[in-house]
Amino acid sequence: MKLYGRISDSTRYYFLLVGAFLFEASGYLAFPYLSLQLRDRFGFAPVQIGQILMLAIWIRPVAALAGGFLDSRVSPLVLFSGACLAEGACFLLLGSTRAAFWAVLAVLLGNIGFSIVKPSIFALAYDEKDGEASTSKLALLNGITNSGAAFG
């Protein structure tokens, strides 16, 4: 049973395009906010903030590989939803904590959730039956996510 069976495939694809753009843009728009939070609330030096955010960026490819692996084992929609909820929980933790350890952990785990979402979006957009059309859809989706990252 498809959880998204009531929506036509083209409408679902357009929602994925808009969502991918907004998700990617917001993911990169959050970095200045994160650096200000780490500096103002937790007293981190600029070099420490750079190290934390660089570690968060280095975690992303490994987490994306894990997300791609899990997409073939678990429903991409379930993985997508779980990763979005995990990232939201990490931002709530970052906003509510007073301890530096939890703030750094929230930044790192939030980036893992951010990275797991991307393969799920591509898995939701891909349809084996479409063949050539599916390749064009993925190319457009890749361009939209890159545009969102550049905008962010």
Side-chain angles (χ1 to χ4, degrees):
M1 180 179 118
K2 288 185 175 180
L3 296 175
Y4 47 85
R6 295 182 186 166
I7 300 172
S8 71
D9 287 343
S10 62
T11 304
R12 182 171 53 96
Y13 179 69
Y14 290 125
F15 275 125
L16 280 174
L17 287 177
V18 171
F21 178 82
L22 293 174
F23 190 80
E24 200 73 23
S26 66
Y28 287 100
L29 283 171
F31 270 84
Y33 164 76
L34 292 174
S35 63
L36 289 175
Q37 287 294 313
L38 292 173
R39 184 193 71 193
D40 295 344
R41 287 185 54 209
F42 302 106
F44 283 105
V47 172
Q48 292 173 318
I49 294 169
Q51 290 170 339
I52 292 166
L53 295 180
M54 186 56 68
L55 180 61
I57 288 174
W58 285 349
I59 287 174
R60 285 182 178 186
V62 176
L65 286 173
F69 176 76
L70 288 173
D71 271 337
S72 62
R73 310 265 183 294
V74 181
S75 168
L77 189 61
V78 170
L79 192 61
F80 175 79
S81 302
C84 286
L85 288 173
E87 188 176 359
C90 287
F91 273 106
L92 285 174
L93 176 63
L94 179 66
S96 63
T97 188
R98 299 205 188 284
F101 170 78
W102 293 111
V104 171
L105 187 67
V107 169
L108 296 178
L109 292 178
N111 273 281
I112 290 173
F114 180 81
S115 298
I116 288 176
V117 166
K118 200 166 184 176
S120 299
I121 291 173
F122 281 91
L124 288 170
Y126 182 74
D127 190 4
E128 291 179 19
K129 299 177 293 231
D130 287 346
E132 184 93 12
S134 191
T135 304
S136 298
K137 284 182 180 179
L138 291 179
L140 179 61
L141 182 60
N142 190 42
I144 291 291
T145 57
N146 290 337
S147 298
F151 180 75

